[in-house]
Amino acid sequence: MDELLGAPPQGSLSDAAWARLHVDYNQYEVTTVLGAPRLEIYIVGDDLLHLGGPSRCTGFCGIHTGPIEARVRVLPEPPAQVAVGWDAISETTLWCPSGRLSVTGLLGGSTEALTDVAVPRGLIRVRVHARDRLHETIRTDDDPPERHELHVWAVSEETPWRTVLADPRARVWERNPAKAAEWALMSLVPRPSNRPAILSPLPPDPYEDDTGLPRVAVVRHRPSPVAVPAGVLPAGDLEIRLEQTDDDTFTWSWAAADEPIFPHPLTALPDDEPSTVRLTPGPDGFTLRHEGVLGRHAIALGLIWDHLLDAPGSRPWLDKLHAQAAEATMQAEHYRRLRAEQEAARWGGTPPSDRVRELDSQARSLAQIDRPLLDSIEALPADRQRHAACWAARRAISVAGLEQIGWIADALADAEAGRPLPGSFTEQNGSTAFRRLLSDPEVPHTTVPLRYDPAVFRAPGATAMLQQAAAFPALIALTNTDPLAAAIDATYHAAIAHGDDRDQLLADAHIAFG
C-alpha cells in the first residue's frame, strides 16, 4: 500500500484513481507548457527522473513498451515526510504558468485523467514515486502492475532536482552539469525566429501566460566554500553583469555586449530588471539565493548556478555561441554575395548609388540597356541633368514626328525655357495629355519594333508599339522636379522611341552628356 508516514496527502485530487498510461522506450513525459524548449535526457537526473527544461521532465519505467498505472496528487503544502512503500522517489521543480500539467507517453500515449490536471500556477515541485519497475521480459502475470505517482505542490523557490529515495537496483547515470548550463544559457538568449515577416504573428500560447505571477528565487546550497563570479559573464551578443554591492550581496543584470559576435546582434534583453544574489554562510555550509528572477527563467538560472558554483571560470556556452555566430556570419556573407549578384544582374553591373536606386524612375531599365550612360547622367550637376532631360525629350518628340503638333511643341518649348508645363501634363502623371495624344487626329501613327528583353520590357507576344506613345513619356518626364529622375526617364523613353536606331540615340547621348 502507498501511504505517508505522516498524514495522507490532502487536496482535491488526493484520492485520484489510477489511470492506465501507455509508455514507450521506458519513458513518459510530464509537461506544463506544450512545445517548451527541451533539454536532452541523460544530462540532469537519476534512474527515475530527468529534468527536461523549465516546463518538462521525463519519468523512467521498467516497461519498455506497454501500460503502467499512474496518477497525480495535488498537495496544499509540501509533504511533511517521505512516503513508504516505493522503490524509488525523485523530485524536481517545474515552471507552470497555466496551472495545467499533463502526463503522456513518450510517443503521445495519453489518458483524460492525466491531461491538463489542475495544479498551482507558477513554480511547482513535482515528486515522482515508482514501484515494481520490471521489464516486460522478466515480468510475470503474478507481478503487480508498475505504478508511478506524482505529488505536486506550489513553491516560491527553485531548488535543484534530487533523489529522495534511490532504487538499489538502479543504474547510475553520469550527469553533465556543464552541458546543462550550456543549454540553460542558450535558452535565455535564443536567436530570433526565422518565421517569414510576411506571415502573421503566431497567436500567444495560453500555456505560457504568466500574467500576475510574482518573481521568484533560485536557491543553491553547498557544504564547502564557494564564490560568486563577480564581473562580466559573456553571453554572445549580451552579457551578464554581476556587481558586488557588499560582502555577500551582488546585483545581477543583463546588458548588450560591447562587441557582439553575430552579424545581426540581439538587442532584446532576457530581463530588463536587475535581480539580487546573496551568498551567506551557515552552520552546514553556504547558501546562494538569487532573488527577484522571472519564474520562467528560474530553472535555467538554477542550472547555470549549479555550474558556476562547482566549476569556477568555466563558461561552457561560449563555444556553442561562437560556433553559431560563425555559421550565422558565413550565411550572412553568402546571402550578401547572392544579393550582390542579383543586384548586379538587375543593374547591368555594380549597383549604382542609393540615390539612384531609391528613385521612382526608369533607372533600372536604362541600366539594362546602357549602364555607363546611367552613371554619366548621375555624375552630371543638376542644371546639366535638366538640360540632358530636355535634350532627350526633344530627340524623342522629333523621331516620333510630334514636333509639328502645336500643343506638344509648345509644352516642349516651355520646359526648355524653364517654364512650368500645362496642368494636363503635370496632373495624374500626364494622363489627360496622353489621352489627347491618342485622340488628336493630327498626330501621326507609326510603329517601332520592340526589342523584347524580359529583364527590361515585359510584353509577351508584342512585336511593335506605337512610336508616338513610346516617345510621349519623355516629354511628361520633364514635369519631374528631380532633375536626375527627369533625365533618366526622358533618356530611357527616347531610346525606346527610336526602335532599331536605339544604339545611335544612346551613342549621341554619351556625347551630349559627356
Side-chain angles (χ1 to χ4, degrees):
M1 295 294 293
D2 53 301
E3 56 185 4
L4 291 179
L5 293 177
Q10 299 297 314
S12 60
L13 298 180
S14 62
D15 297 320
W18 291 103
R20 189 178 178 90
L21 178 69
H22 186 90
V23 300
D24 306 278
Y25 295 96
N26 306 94
Q27 299 170 47
Y28 61 88
E29 292 194 330
V30 181
T31 57
T32 61
V33 175
L34 301 177
R38 179 191 296 271
L39 172 64
E40 297 175 15
I41 57 175
Y42 310 125
I43 293 178
V44 178
D46 57 15
D47 184 64
L48 174 59
L49 182 67
H50 284 195
L51 179 64
S55 301
R56 71 171 66 239
C57 60
T58 300
F60 285 85
C61 310
I63 293 176
H64 180 276
T65 305
I68 65 168
E69 292 186 355
R71 68 181 176 186
V72 178
R73 287 181 165 181
V74 182
L75 311 182
E77 58 187 16
Q81 294 175 308
V82 177
V84 297
W86 299 97
D87 300 330
I89 305 175
S90 300
E91 66 183 37
T92 192
T93 305
L94 294 181
W95 171 241
C96 183
S98 70
R100 289 175 286 180
L101 176 146
S102 295
V103 184
T104 60
L106 180 65
L107 299 183
S110 62
T111 179
E112 184 178 354
L114 299 175
T115 301
D116 280 349
V117 178
V119 298
R121 290 186 70 212
L123 286 182
I124 57 174
R125 194 72 174 171
V126 179
R127 180 177 290 181
V128 179
H129 308 70
R131 64 172 170 236
D132 301 313
R133 293 191 296 165
L134 300 174
H135 195 275
E136 50 261 53
T137 57
I138 61 174
R139 176 175 289 279
T140 69
D141 292 341
D142 296 329
D143 290 314
E146 179 174 344
R147 284 182 164 178
H148 290 245
E149 182 172 280
L150 281 63
H151 292 179
V152 181
W153 63 93
V155 295
S156 60
E157 297 176 349
E158 192 280 331
T159 53
W161 153 92
R162 74 180 183 116
T163 300
V164 179
L165 174 65
D167 188 336
R169 300 166 299 176
R171 172 183 173 182
V172 177
W173 297 105
E174 182 178 353
R175 293 181 286 277
N176 191 338
K179 185 70 174 177
E182 174 194 287
W183 178 89
L185 192 286
M186 299 296 291
S187 74
L188 295 177
V189 291
R191 302 305 304 167
S193 169
N194 290 325
R195 182 177 174 82
I198 194 173
L199 298 179
S200 58
L202 293 173
D205 185 347
Y207 282 87
E208 296 182 349
D209 183 8
D210 57 1
T211 303
L213 292 175
R215 289 179 175 254
V216 299
V218 174
V219 180
R220 291 296 185 267
H221 181 79
R222 295 294 185 271
S224 56
V226 290
V228 172
V232 174
L233 300 178
D237 294 332
L238 307 179
E239 62 187 23
I240 300 164
R241 296 176 181 174
L242 273 164
E243 300 178 9
Q244 189 164 5
T245 56
D246 60 35
D247 290 344
D248 58 6
T249 306
F250 302 77
T251 297
W252 169 296
S253 61
W254 290 92
D258 292 335
E259 297 181 1
I261 63 175
F262 283 84
H264 302 290
L266 289 178
T267 55
L269 303 179
D271 190 355
D272 294 325
E273 296 185 21
S275 48
T276 301
V277 178
R278 306 182 196 279
L279 182 63
T280 56
D284 58 347
F286 291 77
T287 299
L288 179 138
R289 292 181 57 83
H290 188 171
E291 301 169 343
V293 305
L294 293 169
R296 63 178 178 271
H297 292 169
I299 283 81
L301 291 172
L303 295 175
I304 293 172
W305 278 117
D306 283 334
H307 183 74
L308 292 177
L309 295 177
D310 296 335
S314 173
R315 310 290 183 261
W317 52 82
L318 289 182
D319 286 346
K320 187 165 186 176
L321 278 170
H322 282 286
Q324 287 186 350
E327 175 68 19
T329 300
M330 183 174 66
Q331 288 187 356
E333 177 60 18
H334 168 73
Y335 288 123
R336 186 198 65 77
R337 291 176 181 172
L338 182 61
R339 287 192 298 271
E341 292 171 359
Q342 293 172 339
E343 283 287 279
R346 291 189 188 102
W347 290 100
T350 303
S353 67
D354 291 343
R355 165 100 164 87
V356 171
R357 286 192 288 178
E358 292 171 2
L359 284 176
D360 181 11
S361 71
Q362 296 289 344
R364 200 171 81 183
S365 298
L366 180 59
Q368 289 288 341
I369 61 175
D370 194 330
R371 174 54 196 279
L373 183 58
L374 175 66
D375 296 336
S376 297
I377 293 173
E378 183 187 11
L380 295 173
D383 58 338
R384 290 203 59 200
Q385 288 172 347
R386 181 60 67 183
H387 177 78
C390 292
W391 179 91
R394 180 162 290 282
R395 289 291 299 265
I397 295 303
S398 176
V399 77
L402 296 175
E403 283 182 313
Q404 306 306 315
I405 308 301
W407 62 275
I408 295 176
D410 291 343
L412 178 59
D414 286 340
E416 291 174 330
R419 295 188 296 269
L421 273 69
S424 60
F425 286 84
T426 59
E427 297 169 1
Q428 299 180 337
N429 296 318
S431 59
T432 300
F434 201 87
R435 287 194 297 270
R436 183 178 179 184
L437 169 80
L438 298 179
S439 62
D440 189 335
E442 296 185 5
V443 171
H445 284 189
T446 54
T447 60
V448 289
L450 270 178
R451 291 189 180 184
Y452 179 60
D453 184 347
V456 180
F457 193 88
R458 298 182 182 275
T463 58
M465 67 181 302
L466 184 65
Q467 188 175 29
Q468 290 69 33
F472 198 69
L475 178 56
I476 294 177
L478 303 184
T479 65
N480 199 318
T481 57
D482 186 333
L484 175 58
I488 291 172
D489 286 0
T491 302
Y492 170 73
H493 290 297
I496 298 301
H498 275 71
D500 287 338
D501 294 328
R502 183 182 76 181
D503 292 343
Q504 183 59 54
L505 180 280
L506 295 174
D508 293 345
H510 276 284
I511 296 172
F513 304 163

